[in-house]
Amino acid sequence: QVQVAESGGGLVQTGGSLTLSCAASARTFSTYTMAWFRQAPGKEREFVAAVTRGASTTYYTDSVKGRFTISRDNAKNTVYLQMNSLKPEDTAVYYCAADRSGARLEWAARSDSRYEYWGQGTQVTVSS
């Protein structure tokens, strides 16, 4: 069983920055595709960003392109989400997810059903 744990959430003002971290216990972490999803109150969970196995490719939802950056450090079994120019609409619980199959195609990396392992989530609140 792979354990996934997020950290780094908090309260920030509009225009501010936060970096989320996600540590995974997988022995073969580098072969996993890792992703961030988020769920705002009253809304469905949505894809935010993904980084494929080996960090060869990254994908983003349109609303965060140019503001968020996903990266991974395979030596530390950790994936990061650097969030800049935050907006109130970014307020949500952010979840880290791990896909053991290491999906590379964009449609797969965006699909939450691909991810077997999920963290508990970390709250990000952006005040206006």
Side-chain angles (χ1 to χ4, degrees), residues 3 18 57 68 76-77 82 85 90 95 101 105 112 120-121:
Q3 304 296 322
L18 278 177
T57 308
F68 290 12
K76 296 182 177 179
N77 277 27
Q82 173 68 43
S85 302
D90 294 317
Y95 297 92
S101 72
L105 298 179
D112 60 359
Q120 294 295 317

Side-chain angles (χ1 to χ4, degrees), residues 60-113:
Y60 298 92
T61 193
D62 286 347
S63 63
V64 308
K65 285 180 180 177
R67 300 188 298 123
F68 290 12
T69 302
I70 189 170
S71 61
R72 65 190 300 163
D73 184 338
N74 291 329
K76 296 182 177 179
N77 277 27
T78 300
V79 64
Y80 304 96
L81 185 68
Q82 173 68 43
M83 305 184 294
N84 298 325
S85 302
L86 283 161
K87 304 175 181 181
E89 51 263 44
D90 294 317
T91 295
V93 177
Y94 283 70
Y95 297 92
C96 180
D99 167 26
R100 185 174 55 187
S101 72
R104 287 196 171 100
L105 298 179
E106 182 170 5
W107 68 266
R110 288 175 174 268
S111 174
D112 60 359
S113 63

Side-chain angles (χ1 to χ4, degrees), residues 14-59:
T14 296
S17 298
L18 278 177
T19 299
L20 305 183
S21 300
C22 169
S25 64
R27 289 188 297 110
T28 57
F29 176 79
S30 65
T31 68
Y32 283 61
T33 287
M34 300 296 294
W36 290 93
F37 290 79
R38 67 186 179 187
Q39 187 167 21
K43 295 187 177 181
E44 293 187 354
R45 185 169 59 192
E46 66 170 348
F47 169 81
V48 177
V51 55
T52 61
R53 57 184 298 168
S56 60
T57 308
T58 56
Y59 299 112

